[in-house]
Amino acid sequence: MSQKLQKNLGLAAALSTVIGMVIGGGVFFKPQAVYTLTGGAPGLGMIAWVVAGILTITAGLTAAEVSAAIPKTGGMMVYIEEIYGKKLGALTGWMQCALFFPATIAALAVMFSEQTISLLGLSSGLLIPLAIATILLIAILNTLGSKTSGAIQTVSTIGKLVPLAIIIICGFFMGEGNNPIVTPITAEGISPMAVIGQVLIAILFAYDGWINVGALAGEMKNPGKDLPKAIVGGLAAVMAVYLIINVAYLWVLPADQLATFSNPAAAVATALFGPVGGKIVTGGILISVFGCANGYLLTGPRVLYTLGTQKSIPGYKTIGALNKNNVPANATLVMAVVGCLYAMSGQFNLLTDLSMFAIWSFYVLTFIGVIILRKKQPDLHRPYRVPMYPVIPCIAIAGGLFVVLNQLLFAGMTNTLISLGGVLVTLIGIPLYNVAQKQAAKEESTKEEKIA
């Protein structure tokens, strides 16, 4: 009897996956990087949260059309394969599996480890071992079945929204509100145009994760109807939360102080409630980051599994297998091991910069693909169509190109080198794809000879 992915995920699980994967480490930790870049001035940071939110919503509105029209397991790699061909689709999957997913999982695990050490007063030498243990634990939980993974997402999403609500409500009621919110734009001597690209890169990490629910399409009961709702509805909720909580931060502490804390949310809670309040909020943040990492280890292996079933990667027989719970356990463990290797760097910001450059390069191809698909397949069934076409897709394309080119050319030598490294790792996927295809062709030829 052949094994198939079970269609048992509904709108609630998909919506909680979007919110759970987007609201993770970024909203808690990236304000420090933002206000450091602006020299401790709040204006550009607040503008960038709005701009990044609008860009992400245009991206979500655009990509949702493809997600609904091509509701297959594999997410973005399947969309790009449908539009541009199998080789580029496989390369997309390789980039996600070699760079984006494991680097993001590692970054979240490193931050989870760092905050756990801070909360419990443990030795800093435990940073990497604890990060690796976190990844392996989540991987094991994700081999128990998609229902288990979905339940973890739902619980962790509810758990993370509680401390967010506490900070927002108590911040406005108990904070003095004397700190500037929108002025100055940047500190004296810092040009807004010189740092806006890096500020957006930092903030877009906080918004990222929305497209990966598309990888669950094959396990959703009604993907054509529920997938666009999950992506767009989830992003609208996230943007509202981000804007409100960033104002709440500034309502309590000024931007130049927030720039000095690695965990601004805990710093605000400490200012409001004392040290105990800071620890409680840190506990909530740990739940948030754990749920976010779980979301990536839920969706990422589905991409690797699809590469295996398509015979697009060496070792495809093992990678493309399901366990007794009908989940891609081998793919999950492989991705966890790669994530552990990345986690050994112990560098949160380096890992997030790497993952952002890699994924946004292919986001742009997806946005362009919506326009191509409209021309190539005008009669394709589209349960959802992007509104204000082609204006919204063009905004998404322009914003994505700005992100990619800024990171590659204008964000400093370190970011350029990280980006070029990402390009090289991505290109390795081409010879690996060719090897797998030759192996598959050889197997097929041998099979035909036996039949003959």
Side-chain angles (χ1 to χ4, degrees):
M1 183 176 172
S2 64
Q3 293 177 302
K4 292 184 178 179
L5 291 166
Q6 302 299 300
K7 289 183 176 291
N8 51 24
L9 297 180
L11 177 60
L15 191 63
S16 64
T17 299
V18 175
I19 296 173
M21 292 180 73
V22 175
I23 302 179
V27 70
F28 302 116
F29 308 118
K30 285 299 182 180
Q32 182 198 30
V34 170
Y35 295 129
T36 298
L37 286 165
T38 64
L44 185 64
M46 291 305 298
I47 292 169
W49 281 103
V50 174
V51 172
I54 292 170
L55 173 58
T56 304
I57 287 179
T58 62
L61 286 168
T62 303
E65 177 170 310
V66 190
S67 297
I70 312 172
K72 301 176 183 176
T73 291
M76 187 167 62
M77 67 168 285
V78 176
Y79 315 151
I80 287 181
E81 177 187 330
E82 184 84 13
I83 299 163
Y84 299 101
K86 188 174 181 181
K87 182 170 281 191
L88 190 54
L91 192 64
T92 304
W94 165 256
M95 175 279 300
Q96 290 178 289
C97 296
L99 286 173
F100 174 69
F101 282 113
T104 304
I105 290 162
L108 292 166
V110 165
M111 190 52 70
F112 181 88
S113 177
E114 185 177 299
Q115 294 303 311
T116 300
I117 287 169
S118 174
L119 182 66
L120 302 178
L122 303 175
S123 167
S124 59
L126 292 174
L127 177 67
I128 292 174
L130 184 56
I132 290 172
T134 301
I135 293 171
L136 295 177
L137 171 63
I138 295 171
I140 291 168
L141 291 173
N142 273 281
T143 64
L144 301 178
S146 58
K147 275 190 174 179
T148 302
S149 305
I152 293 171
Q153 266 328 104
T154 303
V155 170
S156 65
T157 299
I158 295 170
K160 81 179 61 177
L161 293 178
V162 172
L164 282 172
I166 290 172
I167 292 173
I168 290 169
I169 295 169
C170 295
F172 285 121
F173 278 100
M174 298 172 64
E176 295 182 1
N178 297 327
N179 306 314
I181 306 295
V182 294
T183 57
I185 299 297
T186 56
E188 191 174 341
I190 296 178
S191 167
M193 293 309 297
V195 296
I196 182 63
Q198 290 169 272
V199 171
L200 281 174
I201 288 285
I203 290 175
L204 283 170
F205 174 75
Y207 277 107
D208 200 64
W210 49 272
I211 201 170
N212 302 311
V213 73
L216 299 176
E219 293 167 86
M220 292 178 68
K221 296 170 187 174
N222 191 348
K225 179 181 176 184
D226 291 344
L227 200 54
K229 287 182 181 178
I231 293 174
V232 178
L235 280 177
V238 168
M239 182 179 179
V241 169
Y242 280 6
L243 292 175
I244 294 168
I245 196 167
N246 273 280
V247 173
Y249 288 159
L250 293 169
W251 209 255
V252 179
L253 293 174
D256 57 352
Q257 285 190 36
L258 292 172
T260 65
F261 294 107
S262 64
N263 189 339
V268 168
T270 301
L272 291 171
F273 310 115
V276 174
K279 289 185 181 296
I280 291 172
V281 168
T282 299
I285 292 170
L286 288 174
I287 294 172
S288 173
V289 176
F290 188 90
C292 189
N294 177 75
Y296 280 95
L297 261 173
L298 167 64
T299 55
R302 269 69 181 174
V303 177
L304 187 55
Y305 164 80
T306 302
L307 280 178
T309 59
Q310 292 180 344
K311 301 180 180 179
S312 297
I313 190 170
Y316 53 76
K317 287 183 179 178
T318 301
I319 291 170
L322 300 173
N323 69 0
K324 63 181 181 181
N325 296 315
N326 286 318
V327 296
N330 293 337
T332 300
L333 294 175
V334 168
M335 187 160 287
V337 169
V338 177
C340 288
L341 294 175
Y342 279 110
M344 291 177 72
S345 71
Q347 299 294 315
F348 174 72
N349 285 313
L350 183 147
L351 291 167
T352 58
D353 287 348
L354 176 63
S355 67
M356 282 302 93
F357 173 79
I359 199 68
W360 271 91
S361 302
F362 286 83
Y363 281 168
V364 173
L365 289 176
T366 305
F367 305 150
I368 295 170
V370 172
I371 296 172
I372 294 174
L373 208 58
R374 286 260 188 134
K375 291 181 178 179
K376 284 175 59 178
Q377 299 185 42
D379 299 326
L380 179 69
H381 175 60
R382 292 174 172 85
Y384 161 86
R385 287 174 176 264
V386 57
M388 294 173 61
Y389 178 89
V391 175
I392 285 179
C394 287
I395 293 172
I397 292 165
L401 285 173
F402 174 80
V403 169
V404 172
L405 294 176
N406 180 81
Q407 190 76 345
L408 186 61
L409 302 174
F410 306 114
M413 184 56 69
T414 300
N415 285 299
T416 297
L417 291 174
I418 291 171
S419 301
L420 289 174
V423 171
L424 290 174
V425 172
T426 300
L427 292 177
I428 290 171
I430 295 174
L432 290 178
Y433 170 80
N434 291 334
V435 167
Q437 289 289 287
K438 287 179 181 177
Q439 183 182 346
K442 186 176 180 182
E443 287 180 0
E444 189 65 30
S445 176
T446 302
K447 190 184 297 183
E448 289 176 358
E449 286 176 7
K450 286 182 179 179
I451 294 173

